[in-house]
Amino acid sequence: MDPRPLVRLAPSILSADFARLGEEVAAIDAAGADWIHVDVMDNHFVPNLTVGPMVVKSLRPWSSKPFDVHLMVSPADALVEAFAEAGADILSVHPEAGPHLHRTLARIRALGRKAGVVLNPATPLSAVEPVLHMVDLVLVMSVNPGFGGQAFIEGALPRIAALRRMIDLCGREIALEVDGGITPETAPAVIAAGASVLVAGTAAFRGGPGCYAANLAALRG
Ligand code: DX5
Ligand code: ZN
């Protein structure tokens, strides 16, 4: 039997204790996280401010799991190299964050990192079609980006299902990740719609380190 889980979990450290971020990353890794999701916000593209490449570099020794870096910054191009050098394995960008999505994705790939495109709730799915051949991941936002702890937007479900069909048709291995409002209650429908990676902030980190393994188990269903 294939020992791999059907769905990967990418806990977002946005909901971790920022005063002890290294220990938090190690604890969520030990609890069964598949990827570590890092939300990078610039108070420009989104109305919040988080971490830069220096923090990613400092966290790198705390986990050997892939660092899944979600860039909510505009423009992103000038930062992708610094994040790649800091230890990001996957770098995802929003099409609205810069004028040349193809160039940004090519830059990420040239740095030897996996490249992702993030679709906000109001971004047409067609935004990813012209670049599907060069992405390793499509990230569907099920909240408007900027904050943890928001309610899941149900309208994401048919979008996930449509992207699942688009990805299967294209025949390449592309992760379909969903981010925002993921809980043990919302996760089953997201998985049924075709997601292969779930981001969870609040639901992963609630209760502190003693709860992380149970939190992740509940998300896997
Ligand atoms: C929102 C971020 C998410 C967020 C998810 O802008 O991209 O990764 O941290 O948090 P929850 O799981 O609390 O909705
Ligand atoms: Zn995110």
Side-chain angles (χ1 to χ4, degrees):
M1 215 180 111
D2 190 344
R4 287 174 305 173
L6 287 174
V7 159
R8 294 195 183 101
L9 295 182
S12 165
I13 60 168
L14 189 63
S15 299
D17 179 352
F18 270 61
R20 38 192 299 278
L21 218 39
E23 287 96 334
E24 289 279 71
V25 166
I28 205 75
D29 175 329
D34 297 292
W35 296 353
I36 306 297
H37 187 82
V38 182
D39 285 308
V40 179
M41 304 183 184
D42 68 350
N43 191 38
H44 168 67
F45 184 69
V46 291
N48 201 352
L49 188 62
T50 59
V51 300
M54 286 171 63
V55 173
V56 170
K57 188 177 180 189
S58 301
L59 292 176
R60 192 60 278 190
W62 292 86
S63 170
S64 56
K65 303 278 171 69
F67 275 18
D68 171 33
V69 177
H70 175 188
L71 294 177
M72 288 162 273
V73 300
S74 175
D77 287 23
L79 283 171
V80 295
E81 186 167 355
F83 277 105
E85 280 175 8
D89 298 280
I90 307 159
L91 282 159
S92 298
V93 293
H94 289 250
E96 300 88 348
H100 306 293
L101 178 62
H102 185 287
R103 174 179 287 150
T104 307
L105 296 170
R107 189 162 290 177
I108 294 168
R109 289 169 66 94
L111 291 164
R113 301 302 186 270
K114 292 190 188 305
V117 171
V118 194
L119 300 173
N120 277 339
T123 304
L125 303 184
S126 58
V128 74
E129 268 179 331
V131 291
L132 204 58
H133 64 283
M134 61 194 300
V135 303
D136 303 286
L137 177 146
V138 178
L139 171 50
V140 179
M141 292 308 300
S142 39
V143 298
N144 286 294
F147 303 96
Q150 302 181 77
F152 181 82
I153 295 171
E154 292 286 332
L157 291 172
R159 288 162 57 78
I160 298 162
L163 281 163
R164 168 48 58 207
R165 287 192 292 274
M166 205 191 285
I167 288 170
D168 287 348
L169 271 175
C170 102
R172 291 184 59 243
E173 196 179 318
I174 299 172
L176 180 50
E177 186 174 37
V178 181
D179 185 359
I182 301 292
T183 65
E185 290 70 41
T186 57
V190 172
I191 297 167
S196 61
V197 187
L198 305 183
V199 176
T202 308
F205 284 93
R206 77 161 49 98
C211 300
Y212 294 167
N215 290 348
L216 299 192
L219 286 166
R220 288 189 201 281

